[in-house]
């Protein structure tokens, strides 16, 4: 039973355009959400997070939106750059419960 | 900032041998360590949770006798893949609770 779902395994975007990565979750107890970025043969690195008391968090080119009623969050990258090409994982947390991860979305930014 | 050191970064071993992967917290104490495995097609799976001084908790479907986890100190947790087989070839990653991920270990069993 997957509590965190990323339904798009891959996404291709032209350089300079917006990349939108989506994530859905099922557990309404989740109170904190994170996005990680992962390059091949490297561990995931933390990118951006959002608390359930917010609906938006912005950090430079990266913005995460949270829609609690729909149990949906999204990561927007604008403008997309070739260096953004990686696999992006969303994760969720309920208190200290270890966060489950989505299966990841591979983003390819085409120059 | 907190530094997580995972070693080795890659290893090739023969079928039937055992491989030990180390995860060290260099400037903090890690009471709890999570071990992940990345499967083909990119999905990241939690294998087990180790707590310093006690037995690890394994996720459903993970063989505890095959993936031995030892968390004997607050700065070191190890994952040993015993009697490795080619299907164990994967990317293994540690993460101390509350901190970032280790850099991962690419295991190839031939």
């Amino acid at each position: 039973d997957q509590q965190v779902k990323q339904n798009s395994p891959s996404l291709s975007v032209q350089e300079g355009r917006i990349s939108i990565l989506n994530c859905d979750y099922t557990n309404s107890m989740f109170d904190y959400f994170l996005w990680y970025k992962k390059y091949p043969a490297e561990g995931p690195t933390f990118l951006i997070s959002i608390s359930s008391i917010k609906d938006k968090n912005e950090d430079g080119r990266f913005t995460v939106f949270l829609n609690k009623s729909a149990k949906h969050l999204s990561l927007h990258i604008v403008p997309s750059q070739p260096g953004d090409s990686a696999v992006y994982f969303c994760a969720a947390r309920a208190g200290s419960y270890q966060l489950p991860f989505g299966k990841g979305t591979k983003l390819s930014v085409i120059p | 900032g907190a530094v997580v050191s995972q070693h080795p970064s890659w290893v090739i071993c023969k079928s039937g041998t055992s491989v030990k992967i180390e995860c060290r917290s260099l400037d903090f104490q890690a009471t709890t360590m999570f071990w992940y495995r990345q499967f083909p097609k990119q999905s990241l799976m939690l294998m087990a949770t180790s707590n310093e001084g006690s037995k690890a908790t394994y996720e459903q479907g993970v063989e505890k006798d095959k993936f031995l986890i030892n968390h004997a100190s607050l700065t070191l947790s190890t994952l040993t893949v015993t009697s490795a087989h080619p299907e164990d070839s994967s990317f293994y990653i540690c993460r101390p609770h509350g901190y970032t991920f280790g850099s991962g270990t690419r295991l190839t069993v031939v």
Side-chain angles (χ1 to χ4, degrees):
Chain A
D1 177 31
Q2 223 187 337
Q3 297 190 65
V4 178
K5 296 179 182 179
Q6 291 176 258
N7 293 318
S8 298
S10 64
L11 174 69
S12 289
V13 172
Q14 206 73 29
E15 180 180 5
R17 299 288 186 102
I18 184 171
S19 296
I20 300 177
L21 297 99
N22 294 303
C23 182
D24 296 294
Y25 62 96
T26 58
N27 191 338
S28 58
M29 296 296 290
F30 290 141
D31 58 6
Y32 198 72
F33 303 89
L34 307 93
W35 283 95
Y36 288 86
K37 178 179 180 179
K38 185 185 182 300
Y39 293 114
E42 293 183 13
T45 54
F46 170 74
L47 188 59
I48 192 170
S49 63
I50 188 167
S51 165
S52 61
I53 62 173
K54 290 186 169 183
D55 54 20
K56 176 183 175 182
N57 188 26
E58 191 173 352
D59 183 4
R61 296 185 298 113
F62 302 90
T63 303
V64 56
F65 295 92
L66 175 63
N67 183 333
K68 289 186 287 295
S69 60
K71 294 191 179 66
H72 177 84
L73 65 154
S74 60
L75 174 67
H76 293 211
I77 307 173
V78 56
S80 301
Q81 299 173 355
D84 296 329
S85 297
V87 177
Y88 290 80
F89 292 95
C90 66
R93 190 181 74 194
S96 60
Y97 174 69
Q98 164 54 16
L99 39 81
F101 283 82
K103 289 191 173 183
T105 297
K106 184 176 182 179
L107 173 66
S108 300
V109 180
I110 304 162
Chain B
V3 178
V4 181
S5 174
Q6 187 171 342
H7 178 82
S9 56
W10 63 273
V11 58
I12 301 173
C13 70
K14 290 186 177 180
S15 288
T17 61
S18 295
V19 174
K20 181 185 284 188
I21 301 169
E22 294 186 347
C23 188
R24 293 180 184 272
S25 53
L26 298 185
D27 51 0
F28 63 96
Q29 294 181 331
T31 306
T32 300
M33 187 74 73
F34 302 111
W35 286 94
Y36 297 85
R37 177 177 178 177
Q38 185 177 25
F39 283 96
K41 297 186 180 179
Q42 78 209 14
S43 66
L44 205 59
M45 183 195 81
L46 176 65
M47 297 175 65
T49 303
S50 71
N51 291 294
E52 187 265 339
S54 62
K55 289 185 178 180
T57 303
Y58 290 81
E59 296 299 306
Q60 192 173 13
V62 178
E63 298 175 65
K64 61 181 180 181
D65 293 331
K66 180 164 189 63
F67 299 99
L68 298 178
I69 290 175
N70 184 284
H71 196 156
S73 78
L74 289 171
T75 59
L76 174 65
S77 175
T78 61
L79 166 67
T80 301
V81 182
T82 62
S83 188
H85 289 280
E87 57 264 31
D88 298 326
S89 298
S90 192
F91 193 65
Y92 295 87
I93 315 168
C94 65
R95 187 179 76 86
H97 178 64
Y99 296 91
T100 191
F101 287 87
S103 53
T105 298
R106 167 69 63 191
L107 170 63
T108 302
V109 184
V110 297

